Amino acid sequence: MNNKRFLLAVLLIGLFSGAVFLLRNLPGESTSAPGPIDKNRRVPVEVVAIEHGPIALHRTFSGTLEARAEFVVAPKVAGRVERLTVNIADPVTRGQVVGELDSEEYVQAVAQARADLAVSKANLAEAKNALEITRRELDRIETLRQRGVASESQLDAVKANELAKQAELEVAEAQAVRAEASVKTAEIRLGYTRITAGWSGGEEQRVVAERFPMTGVVFVTERDYARLQPGQSVTLTTDAFPGEEFLGHIERIAPVFKQSTRQARVELSIDNPGQRLKPGMFVRATVVLARAENATIIPEQALTKRNDRTGLFLVSPDGQTVTWHEVSVAIRDGDRVQIDQDDLSGRVVILGQQLLENGSAISIASQPSTQDKTDSSPEQK
């Protein structure tokens, strides 16, 4: 039993020692300070040349298309629909009749209102005539009163009658005005049986269930919000028209973020040639957030870390050694990045950095040319 325990302990110690040895010798990215360099060892690496030129920060947002303005065309009165003159996607001009209701009831209402108006006008004429007769009678009694023929009571009676006729005239005039208003109301309600498309401002022509130019709506996070501003150009793509781009610009940016998503609404004005873009379509909007015309550009693959600092290994002019340079990244465009050291030029290491330190000797891996690859054949191999 003691022998078995001894052998098990020896086996465990051996496994632990082997694991430690493997971990210490695994290749990896060094994060410690540069140590002693083996001058006789050359590290195989791959390199590329540093670029100098323009670079832009593109950001693509997903969103949907919305009609910039929309309104519902509906009758203002109840009734049975007799006819609709337009359908989905038909063009509509301002004030165009798009449907009609059964108008018989409203036609009769207009006729009755006009008849009531006629009665009111007749009553008004009668009241005017009665007042005129009463005033003549008043003039005659006043003349007789001056001659001493008529009494004071007769004069008072005629004056009271004149006041009554005056009141009747005013009532008749009010009734006539009300009757005219009733006719206009009936005619307006009759007009409502013809459904028209009316709107204020904008184009003289619109499309049923569609309007152009379109409005694109995307939502952005705080990271990109500060870089956006009205007027910035936008390029849009949609799955409905693969390979095509539609141009637009940022029109409005919401001043608040939604608490549920921590995103802000951004509205885009989009050109819609041929009215091919439709509300509800899914779009991808690409905006250039930053641009540099003469930037120092390297592949993102060239970036590495030493002591928690970001940098790169620059190849010496003779291609024999490398030097470590700490850099800061400005613009990222896909797998290309702009660094803030404009004085750097030459070549940088993109593969094999984990084995390098400042001053390490390197061996640049040679890559077969295109001609060599073409000449190689299975028979030659």
Side-chain angles (χ1 to χ4, degrees):
M1 180 64 68
N2 291 334
N3 290 337
K4 289 183 178 181
R5 289 180 178 177
F6 176 77
L7 291 175
L8 180 59
V10 171
L11 179 61
L12 291 176
I13 293 173
L15 291 174
F16 177 76
S17 300
V20 171
F21 175 81
L22 290 175
L23 289 174
R24 287 182 176 178
N25 289 274
L26 279 176
E29 197 175 69
S30 174
T31 59
S32 60
I37 303 170
D38 184 359
K39 299 295 184 180
N40 297 322
R41 180 190 177 197
R42 291 187 175 275
V43 178
V45 296
E46 289 187 10
V47 301
V48 296
I50 296 176
E51 300 179 38
H52 293 276
I55 189 172
L57 173 60
H58 296 84
R59 188 79 74 226
T60 300
F61 306 98
S62 299
T64 56
L65 295 179
E66 294 182 357
R68 177 169 298 182
E70 59 183 11
F71 60 93
V72 177
V73 177
K76 295 183 179 180
V77 295
R80 177 173 57 86
V81 177
E82 282 194 340
R83 185 166 64 99
L84 293 176
T85 61
V86 294
N87 208 331
I88 292 177
D90 288 346
V92 177
T93 57
R94 195 193 307 267
Q96 178 180 338
V97 176
V98 297
E100 294 182 359
L101 302 179
D102 180 12
S103 61
E104 185 62 28
E105 179 181 350
Y106 299 97
V107 170
Q108 293 301 321
V110 171
Q112 181 176 348
R114 288 174 178 172
D116 293 340
L117 176 61
V119 172
S120 297
K121 288 182 176 181
N123 292 335
L124 177 60
E126 182 180 0
K128 287 181 178 180
N129 293 333
L131 178 61
E132 181 65 24
I133 293 173
T134 302
R135 284 176 176 174
R136 290 178 183 178
E137 180 67 16
L138 178 61
D139 292 340
R140 187 177 67 83
I141 295 298
E142 286 179 344
T143 301
L144 293 176
R145 176 64 182 147
Q146 292 175 359
R147 294 177 182 179
V149 176
S151 64
E152 188 70 26
S153 61
Q154 288 178 316
L155 180 61
D156 292 340
V158 174
K159 286 184 177 180
N161 189 36
E162 190 265 345
L163 292 175
K165 296 301 182 183
Q166 179 66 39
E168 291 177 0
L169 176 61
E170 292 177 357
V171 171
E173 288 176 343
Q175 290 176 342
V177 171
R178 184 178 63 180
E180 289 179 353
S182 296
V183 171
K184 290 181 179 179
T185 301
E187 290 175 344
I188 291 174
R189 294 177 65 84
L190 175 62
Y192 286 160
T193 61
R194 304 182 70 200
I195 308 168
T196 59
W199 61 86
S200 60
E203 300 85 355
E204 286 297 318
Q205 187 179 82
R206 295 191 180 182
V207 178
V208 177
E210 179 185 13
R211 188 218 187 253
F212 56 92
M214 302 297 299
T215 293
V217 177
V218 298
F219 292 89
V220 301
T221 60
E222 296 180 39
R223 180 186 66 170
D224 301 316
Y225 183 83
R227 295 176 178 266
L228 299 177
Q229 58 185 356
Q232 280 182 306
S233 299
V234 180
T235 302
L236 291 100
T237 59
T238 178
D239 293 337
F241 304 103
E244 293 191 51
E245 293 183 346
F246 297 85
L247 302 179
H249 65 271
I250 296 177
E251 187 167 11
R252 282 182 291 271
I253 302 175
V256 296
F257 285 75
K258 289 188 175 181
Q259 291 186 351
S260 58
T261 61
R262 301 298 179 185
Q263 294 180 328
R265 177 186 173 102
V266 178
E267 293 185 0
L268 316 173
S269 178
I270 306 166
D271 295 335
N272 189 14
Q275 301 90 58
R276 294 188 297 165
L277 297 177
K278 311 298 180 184
M281 279 186 175
F282 174 82
V283 293
R284 286 171 291 273
T286 301
V287 185
V288 177
L289 301 182
R291 184 186 298 274
E293 296 301 329
N294 189 24
T296 302
I297 306 169
I298 63 170
E300 187 174 17
Q301 190 179 358
L303 297 175
T304 185
K305 284 186 178 293
R306 292 296 184 270
N307 294 327
D308 295 328
R309 296 182 177 181
T310 301
L312 54 80
F313 285 101
L314 183 68
V315 179
S316 62
D318 60 5
Q320 300 300 308
T321 59
V322 293
T323 54
W324 164 260
H325 291 268
E326 183 179 350
V327 298
S328 297
V329 176
I331 295 177
R332 294 179 181 268
D333 181 20
D335 59 355
R336 303 165 67 242
V337 298
Q338 175 196 10
I339 56 176
D340 58 359
Q341 281 75 3
D342 296 334
D343 57 341
L344 290 183
S345 61
R347 295 176 293 175
V348 292
V349 177
I350 61 170
L351 188 62
Q353 302 100 309
Q354 69 273 16
L355 303 176
L356 298 177
E357 299 294 347
N358 186 44
S360 293
I362 61 171
S363 172
I364 299 175
S366 59
Q367 298 179 351
S369 64
T370 305
Q371 184 65 34
D372 293 338
K373 292 180 180 179
T374 305
D375 294 341
S376 299
S377 63
E379 290 77 13
Q380 291 174 330
K381 293 180 180 178

